Amino acid sequence: MNLKQLSLMLELSQTTVSRALNGYPEVSEETRRRVTDAAKRHGYRPNPSARRLATGKAGMIGYVMPTGASVDIDPHFVEFLSGLGDYARGHELDLVLSPADALDEETTYRRIVANKQVDALYISAPYSADKRVALAHQLGIPFIVHGRSEGLEFDYPFIDIDNEGAFHDATRLLVQLGHKRVALINGDDTQTFAIFRERGVRRALSESGLVLEPKNIRSEVMTEENGYRAARRLLEAADAPTAIVCSSLLMALGIVRAARDLNLVMPRDLSLVSHDDVFHWLKPEHFSVPLTTTRSSIRAAGARVAERLAARISGLEDGARGEIWPVDLVVRGSISGVR
Amino acid sequence: MNLKQLSLMLELSQTTVSRALNGYPEVSEETRRRVTDAAKRHGYRPNPSARRLATGKAGMIGYVMPTGASVDIDPHFVEFLSGLGDYARGHELDLVLSPADALDEETTYRRIVANKQVDALYISAPYSADKRVALAHQLGIPFIVHGRSEGLEFDYPFIDIDNEGAFHDATRLLVQLGHKRVALINGDDTQTFAIFRERGVRRALSESGLVLEPKNIRSEVMTEENGYRAARRLLEAADAPTAIVCSSLLMALGIVRAARDLNLVMPRDLSLVSHDDVFHWLKPEHFSVPLTTTRSSIRAAGARVAERLAARISGLEDGARGEIWPVDLVVRGSISGVR
DNA sequence: ACGGCATTTCAAAGCGCTTTGGATGCCCTC
DNA sequence: GAGGGCATCCAAAGCGCTTTGAAATGCCGT
């Protein structure tokens, strides 16, 4: 059943039927009702390919997925997908994933924009002066950044959490508990979220006349193994830190293992605060010593990104508004006053 | 730059240019070269929307993503995505994710097929007599199942690992080490992979005259927490098992925690074998007691699925061939002879 | 010199929708 | 009763590609 058949059936022109269905004002309410009724009754659905060709709109949002033999997709990404689903389900909004060589994402960005494959883009885990953000801006396609980039010459719409505030508050709490030697086990520090987190830790320390010593800061891809390695190195040093702040539960897993290997009892010998992105499959309250965390759901952010992207596509949103979400500090058993 | 402009420029008809570019035989080699040269030089790229409208082919593969407020996307999914990227990158093959209400995926399947949004589908984590598989088969769209369904009236193409063999071999090893009371902590047992694994354990036990007692089998969504709960329940029972086989590293995490809470030393008091899907962020060799595992990379399977899907789209593959991949049994420190 | 047969090229008709630029009819005003 | 304004509706022209059916071209044998 296509438009032509439907219009023939209704003895109306395709124009009128199309307009009736798309809510244009220049069609009487009565015909509109006739049309929508008939459309529903016959299960008419406009062919998206035809519509796309005519309008240039794709009705989909895009994500360029960096891949490569030595590139692993972050498990945090599924949380984003869950969130996207929370919004997109019921809105018939699809996401097209375009795998790209991590070393040359630009080609893929250009391709999907030139091809009009998607109406808007989602960009995640930005770097400083992120090229993808600059490119999307330049190409003029609507987009939303999940996270923030710094050092760009223009404003852009984003959703981010208050990483600096979260890590500041966590560190301040540790300092208030008497910790002088606080270490940070961070994620990849070319990404802005890690930069902000480091900034937060530094600020909290300096507010009490303390410093984050270079040897007390580690940054690596957020895996269990890297958490373990970093913690071993920190904790075996001469002036080992008495408290660690880390960027992911995955790393926390490794840190706990390292502490155990070194016969350190938490929180007596080591206090630990981790950031928690809210995974359903690994929860901070279920660590052998329940973890104090800075908590912010990626899933919730994903839903919001989808919502704003949809708003941008339909023209309900424009401009470069950035949202910064506050982060909860959830205190559990993994921290205590310094001995 | 579109076809019309290009053909004008070359003083050829659109027909000829189109044919030259698409490798039809009825165009002389010389003109073909002229055309492809000019196309490259001017960066001509056929508009996919137009092509899609004309041919009905989308050039994309699809995945209907079950979502819902209480539905969490499995972190295993990112491994699949990495694998997909391994193949799709460089082939300009995109994946469209269509979020669907987990309780009504059929509507979404029908929509994306009716709309010709994708040329082929990927179906994962099938159930017995899986409705999605039946539906895809009935709708006549090419698809590949990652995993297997049972009790369907027809054959279909799939890629699966030898779950039964893997768990059989793991269990047999434990039995050979003297274990009589072996327990299984499985994933959701409405999914076929879990059914096969249980079958493998049972078969190995019965080969030695042993049985898998009902109280020694647990099946839940594969999370740390569920692993912990299941292990607690098993290990606190009267005739506690001396060995456990489990379906995921995530659950193994919880099992190890439970053992520790109960002051059981591994492998002295408890042997553990886990299935390992090969995550880069959590590795069995980096557990405090390195885990013996049945190992099979989801990522590799993802790449293969993408490859076969592409082959089906271009007509290079058809029929209902199923691939069953062998699984490695990797022995590490978490198992030992029974005391 | 001419018909027959490949080979190569083309004009035009879709694919199914949106949208431009009128028509048409009706009511109201002066 | 002419003219303007408004509400409805329509024919037809795209959007950029593929593909059908036919035409032009060149070559061969007779």
Side-chain angles (χ1 to χ4, degrees), chain B residues 188-250:
Chain B
D188 173 5
D189 64 359
T190 60
Q191 307 210 157
T192 42
F193 81 88
I195 295 172
F196 278 105
R197 288 177 185 181
E198 180 177 332
R199 220 173 269 172
V201 172
R202 285 191 194 283
R203 181 156 61 83
L205 289 176
S206 71
E207 280 164 6
S208 300
L210 300 169
V211 293
L212 180 60
E213 295 183 43
K215 64 166 188 170
N216 278 342
I217 172 167
R218 301 273 156 192
S219 84
E220 297 287 348
V221 173
M222 299 183 292
T223 69
E224 194 273 350
E225 184 177 358
N226 286 335
Y228 178 82
R229 292 226 178 112
R232 281 293 293 236
R233 225 165 299 157
L234 289 171
L235 296 172
E236 285 174 332
D239 285 340
T242 59
I244 294 178
V245 184
C246 79
S247 271
S248 162
L249 286 189
L250 262 18

Side-chain angles (χ1 to χ4, degrees), chain B residues 11 21 38 57-58 62 95 214 216 223 245 273 292 299 308 324:
Chain B
E11 302 193 313
L21 258 18
K57 297 258 149 200
L95 174 71
N216 278 342
T223 69
V245 184
V273 180
T292 293
R299 180 167 179 163
R308 288 188 61 187
I324 299 177

Side-chain angles (χ1 to χ4, degrees), chain B residues 3 18-19 22 24 44 51:
Chain B
L3 186 62
S18 170
R19 290 200 155 135
N22 292 322
Y24 280 63
Y44 167 74
R51 166 174 283 175

Side-chain angles (χ1 to χ4, degrees), chain A residues 3 15 18-19 22 24 44 47 51:
Chain A
L3 186 62
T15 311
S18 170
R19 292 201 154 133
N22 293 321
Y24 280 64
Y44 167 73
N47 176 321
R51 166 175 283 177

Side-chain angles (χ1 to χ4, degrees), chain B residues 23 26 41 85 118 126 131 137 154 169 175 182 185 207 226 240 257 264 270 285 287 289 291-292 314 319 331:
Chain B
E26 59 264 69
R41 211 169 43 248
V118 298
K131 287 180 183 168
H137 177 77
F154 52 90
D169 292 356
V175 170
V182 177
I185 299 182
E207 280 164 6
N226 286 335
R257 178 162 66 95
L264 300 176
L270 177 67
E285 60 266 40
F287 274 57
V289 176
L291 249 45
T292 293
S314 55
V331 176

Side-chain angles (χ1 to χ4, degrees), chain B residues 57-62 93-94 118-121 141-144 306-318:
Chain B
K57 297 258 149 200
M60 303 203 271
I61 60 183
L93 185 65
D94 295 336
V118 298
D119 297 327
L121 289 175
I141 188 170
F143 66 95
I144 295 228
E307 185 182 9
R308 288 188 61 187
L309 243 15
R312 293 202 150 244
I313 291 176
S314 55
L316 278 93
E317 176 186 317
D318 60 355

Side-chain angles (χ1 to χ4, degrees), chain B residues 172-194:
Chain B
R172 185 179 56 187
L173 178 57
L174 290 169
V175 170
Q176 285 168 348
L177 287 169
H179 293 275
K180 307 274 183 217
R181 296 193 303 278
V182 177
L184 171 63
I185 299 182
N186 211 347
D188 173 5
D189 64 359
T190 60
Q191 307 210 157
T192 42
F193 81 88

